[in-house]
Amino acid sequence: MTSSTPPSPPASKASATYQAALERSDAIAARIRTNPEEFKMLTGERPTGALHIGHYFGSIANRLKLQSSNVEILLILADYQVITDREVAGDIRGSVRDVILDNLAAGIDPDRATIFTHSSVPALNQLLLPFLSLVSVAELQRNPTVKEEATTAGITSINGLMLTYPVHQAADILFCKANVVPVGRDQLPHIEQTRVVARRFNDKYGATFPEPSALLSEAPLILGTDGTKMSKSKGNVIELRMSADETAKKIKGAKTDSERQITYDPQSRPEVANLVQLIALCEGGDPYAIAEEIGDGGGGGLKRRLTDAINTHFAPLRARRAELSADPAIVDDVLARGNAAANEIAEATLDEVRERMGMTYP
Ligand code: TRP
């Protein structure tokens, strides 16, 4: 791709799309409470390393809520997406294990959730070919999230897999005919792309796929210990699997400010507010009240309380994780079962797609 990409849609159009997605999301959240059996949820992530507390409050907590309301869950570890925006993929197999351990330790039940890696499911990947025929290059080049990720990763030349990964993601979602996908706002362009692919396929070849909706989590934005976006590469994350001591050390180095009186003021004191918010999430309390309780305890008081809050809240998860990781056969078995189940689903869908497209042969 050349460096001159078409501009993103104007803000008004983007926010109209956002409003529509938000309304659909609210309607679905309400419907899930009364009719969970109508929903099949596909949730996914890139296996780029062990998960941190931002992932926990941003997506795992939401997953657990859905699991307890009896929605069918598939969890895809999008390993091919790891190689879209980085030169060195790192230890993908190790990251897959870590992400699965984190999810299991958090309470995702492998007897109810299908956990799989997309490179293990050839029929899923094959859906990419017909799907790509339904999407224009200009559309791909307009995707704001792809552009933003390229900028963040410092990429000047976007590779073909990166350009097309939103369509790959459509295959991740549509192969199992999921109708709901819990995501953050940054993923909305991909869900929109998935809806477009489903619609165009259905129009062209006959009704085959549902148009899935995003389920937008109310998850707060959690910053790293330096007050910028949590990101492994910046060393500002608190991983779920960290020990109590490692957690304490990480928090000790967190950025605060020089004011002794602790307040909850995300606008003018974002770093302090972030730490207060984390306490509130772990303890289940109100951030304003927590800030008042810490009062003039300063950065030291704030950090002590946060260290306790995190270590207490995640102690059971950490203990379970240690148990699970002691026996490598546990993750192997979860993945083997998940991959087998995903392959069965994908092959059935691909057969149906071949049928619809008139591509069945002896
Ligand atoms: N693109 C998602 C991310 O970067 C990960 C992902 C891959 C995903 N496939 C998916 C999310 C399917 C939801 C559905 O976080």
Side-chain angles (χ1 to χ4, degrees), residues 66-237:
L66 287 157
Q67 177 175 265
S68 63
S69 63
N70 278 322
V71 173
E72 183 180 348
I73 297 178
L74 293 102
L75 169 58
I76 186 167
L77 300 165
D79 46 3
Y80 278 134
Q81 273 188 26
V82 177
I83 55 171
T84 55
D85 65 352
R86 61 203 74 204
E87 278 303 317
V88 183
D91 177 14
I92 294 188
R93 190 169 29 216
S95 293
V96 164
R97 292 196 77 81
D98 275 328
V99 173
I100 293 175
L101 283 170
D102 288 329
N103 274 278
L104 298 180
I108 294 296
D109 176 359
D111 290 330
R112 289 164 57 196
T114 302
I115 302 176
F116 64 104
T117 41
H118 70 174
S119 69
S120 304
V121 188
L124 180 163
N125 292 294
Q126 193 170 328
L127 290 174
L128 185 58
L129 298 176
F131 288 178
L132 280 173
S133 76
L134 302 168
V135 177
S136 76
V137 171
E139 234 174 322
L140 293 170
Q141 289 177 327
R142 256 194 316 264
N143 187 302
T145 298
V146 172
K147 284 201 265 185
E148 208 177 291
E149 282 169 354
T151 310
T152 308
I155 290 172
T156 45
S157 146
I158 292 177
N159 72 35
L161 190 63
M162 176 138 189
L163 183 67
T164 54
Y165 98 72
V167 184
H168 202 169
Q169 190 157 326
D172 294 348
I173 296 167
L174 297 178
F175 93 98
C176 63
K177 304 193 179 179
N179 54 4
V180 57
V181 189
V183 285
R185 188 175 176 167
D186 66 303
Q187 294 291 306
L188 270 184
H190 307 343
I191 307 303
E192 208 44 52
Q193 181 70 80
T194 302
R195 292 169 63 82
V196 166
V197 166
R199 203 177 307 141
R200 289 183 189 157
F201 189 95
N202 293 345
D203 285 349
K204 200 162 178 179
Y205 301 110
T208 308
F209 295 110
E211 275 182 45
S213 303
L215 185 65
L216 292 156
S217 66
E218 299 135 28
L221 177 67
I222 296 167
L223 305 173
T225 50
D226 59 355
T228 69
K229 192 175 171 213
M230 261 209 193
S231 152
K232 203 180 162 69
S233 59
K234 289 193 259 178
N236 65 357
V237 307

